[in-house]
Amino acid sequence: MIIDKAEIIVTSPDRNFVTLRITTDEGHVGIGDGTLNGRELAVVAYLKEHVAPLLLGKDAGRIEDIWQYLYRGAYWRRGPVTMAAIAAVDMALWDIKGKAAGMPVYQLLGGASRSGLMAYGHASGKTMPEIFDSVNEHLELGYKSMRIQSGVPGLNAIYGIASQSADTGDSAVRYDHEPARRGALPAQEDWDTRAYLRHIPTVFEAVRNEFGPELPLLHDGHHRMTPIQAAQLGKSLEPYDLFWLEDCTPAENQEALRLVRQHTTTPLAIGEIFNTVWDYQQIIREQLIDYVRSAVTHTGGISHLKKVLDYAAQYQIKSGMHGPTDVSPVGMAAAMHLGLSIHNFGIQEYMQHGAKTNAVFHQTYTWNDGYLHPGDEPGLGVTLDVDEAGKYPYEQAYLPFNRLADGTVHDW
């Protein structure tokens, strides 16, 4: 199975996606997701100018060798652009191998370790009535676990509130339930940590009182707290039995999580912006986290993230793979195949894509009674309609950024 074509396809149905399409001399076609929210064209250039020419003539069956060739052979390693590009190649090669074998990818990874993948949705609102409505809507969609994000009194627009509309003109229009906004410049949001720390425990108290103790609840701090603030929040949320507190403090400073651990037993999920096993080395070895949050798309593909999760399994740390709508259906399918096969699966984030995206990416994975399954079609089980993709050219878009009341740029 010699690679004779590697095409990069950029499409923007409900949002921007980057897809690598590899074809072999035997006619097998594999696709991989290289989407990097707000920096998509950087990955396109890396794939088009540097990676695709290296693939031609290679044996598509040598997945590990090609992975090492692209990672070690470039000398410049790691980082989101490099690892998203490698992930796109890796997914496409697993897709091809599955099709050649006549098996879904999870079978090639050792078979299923469970019958389905528990998934959580995103419930949010600027007010408690909005949050309750959002939880009920997600329950009706079949979700049995819920991430709760709330507005904060006095703040106009903050991360995680799907219904908000910041006063920034046309660029404030959200698309596909994502905070990225189409426009020439990033939108500005506001932040006040002390107000947030006062308000969030009252939100979870109200949600628990309304929906009872059995519903698993999650929350994303999105890197906005110092270590001591994160410890304070984790401790204040203990009465509400969170499934996890996500990205409570910027984890590039991995030792900071020791302080958080000293003060709270709330489980911690970390790693949404991590790209390699090296980012996790200390916090897994010292058992400073409970869930690995990386996306297959941003962490070098199935091959590399499986190694991260195998390492985590030694310490009873589970998966919590990133699954927003800025991961394409191809990346979501890859996460499902990996999650179904590993023993230490925890939970899968699952935001449902819009109708236009689903028309571009035809999926065979299923969502039933709160559980996902990747399906049993050979390969990843997702096909790209190239003609449909061509109807939606790239549109410039950025994630927002935060400023404090005094004008200081803050972690978003």
Side-chain angles (χ1 to χ4, degrees):
M1 295 191 299
I2 303 303
I3 298 171
D4 62 11
K5 188 183 295 185
E7 308 163 272
I8 296 88
I9 298 163
V10 183
T11 183
S12 189
D14 296 295
R15 55 150 296 107
N16 293 320
F17 296 109
V18 177
T19 306
L20 176 66
R21 189 171 184 259
I22 293 176
T23 306
T24 73
D25 60 348
E26 296 178 2
H28 293 300
V29 177
I31 56 176
D33 180 23
T35 306
L36 185 62
N37 197 350
R39 294 293 185 270
E40 296 91 351
L41 296 187
V43 183
V44 171
Y46 195 92
L47 283 168
K48 186 175 294 184
E49 304 299 331
H50 303 291
V51 172
L54 302 177
L55 298 175
L56 302 181
K58 293 287 190 297
D59 181 350
R62 298 183 63 175
I63 298 175
E64 180 67 17
D65 183 64
I66 290 175
W67 196 99
Q68 299 294 344
Y69 176 60
L70 296 177
Y71 181 80
R72 298 178 187 276
Y75 183 70
W76 307 108
R77 303 178 184 180
R78 305 167 69 178
V81 174
T82 294
M83 299 308 286
I86 293 176
V89 176
D90 187 76
M91 282 183 231
L93 295 180
W94 278 108
D95 194 23
I96 288 171
K97 188 175 281 288
K99 289 172 180 174
M103 293 182 179
V105 167
Y106 76 82
Q107 292 287 11
L108 304 180
L109 298 174
S113 290
R114 57 197 47 81
S115 57
L117 305 167
M118 181 172 69
Y120 71 89
H122 290 192
S124 67
K126 296 193 75 171
T127 65
M128 286 312 309
E130 285 187 10
I131 293 171
F132 288 178
D133 287 345
S134 184
V135 171
N136 282 316
E137 288 169 5
H138 281 79
L139 290 171
E140 290 175 5
L141 290 171
Y143 288 96
K144 297 183 183 299
S145 305
M146 218 78 65
R147 191 187 81 166
I148 305 294
Q149 301 298 129
S150 171
V152 174
L155 298 182
N156 178 50
I158 65 172
Y159 166 80
I161 314 303
S163 62
Q164 73 187 4
S165 178
D167 187 17
T168 52
D170 292 340
S171 65
V173 177
R174 292 177 181 270
Y175 60 108
D176 210 9
H177 310 287
E178 273 297 295
R181 291 158 186 166
R182 290 167 169 162
L185 294 171
Q188 179 178 316
E189 296 184 350
D190 47 1
W191 185 248
D192 181 330
T193 305
R194 292 186 69 230
Y196 166 79
L197 292 176
R198 288 193 303 270
H199 183 64
I200 289 299
T202 69
V203 171
F204 278 88
E205 180 181 26
V207 172
R208 273 284 176 241
N209 288 339
E210 180 71 15
F211 295 98
E214 297 301 322
L215 181 65
L217 300 178
L218 305 86
H219 181 67
D220 186 0
H222 221 247
H223 317 280
R224 293 168 297 189
M225 288 166 278
T226 65
I228 196 65
Q229 290 168 342
Q232 179 184 346
L233 179 63
K235 189 173 184 177
S236 68
L237 292 175
E238 285 178 10
Y240 312 112
D241 186 28
L242 265 65
F243 188 95
W244 77 37
L245 173 61
E246 176 186 346
D247 288 333
C248 56
T249 190
E252 296 97 316
N253 177 14
Q254 301 200 0
E255 293 183 1
L257 291 166
R258 293 178 186 164
L259 187 150
V260 182
R261 279 291 211 210
Q262 290 169 6
H263 291 281
T264 181
T265 58
T266 296
L268 302 179
I270 295 289
E272 181 176 309
I273 61 171
F274 284 178
N275 311 119
T276 71
V277 68
W278 305 107
D279 297 314
Y280 283 102
Q281 188 178 32
Q282 179 182 358
I283 58 177
I284 287 177
R285 185 180 64 246
E286 296 188 17
Q287 301 178 68
L288 300 179
I289 63 172
D290 302 281
Y291 296 92
V292 167
R293 277 289 289 142
S294 285
V296 177
T297 300
H298 304 138
T299 318
I302 292 170
S303 298
H304 189 65
L305 189 51
K306 186 178 189 303
K307 293 173 183 175
V308 176
L309 292 169
D310 287 343
Y311 174 45
Q314 298 178 55
Y315 300 94
Q316 296 177 289
I317 295 169
K318 296 184 177 183
S319 73
M321 283 177 267
H322 195 41
T325 47
D326 58 78
V327 170
S328 86
V330 185
M332 278 299 307
M336 292 179 207
H337 284 278
L338 180 56
L340 198 71
S341 67
I342 59 173
H343 179 260
N344 58 324
F345 172 80
I347 198 168
Q348 176 63 54
E349 181 178 19
Y350 177 49
M351 294 183 72
Q352 299 185 24
H353 289 98
K356 292 178 182 178
T357 297
N358 292 336
V360 171
F361 298 94
H362 301 163
Q363 308 141 32
T364 60
Y365 57 77
T366 59
W367 167 245
N368 184 43
D369 197 29
Y371 289 86
L372 292 162
H373 192 283
D376 288 307
E377 288 295 313
L380 292 175
V382 179
T383 57
L384 175 71
D385 187 327
V386 177
D387 292 336
E388 190 70 19
K391 298 177 182 179
Y392 306 106
Y394 168 82
E395 295 189 39
Q396 190 173 35
Y398 289 98
L399 289 167
F401 72 101
N402 270 343
R403 286 192 187 274
L404 305 179
D406 68 358
T408 303
V409 173
H410 188 70
D411 294 306
W412 177 75

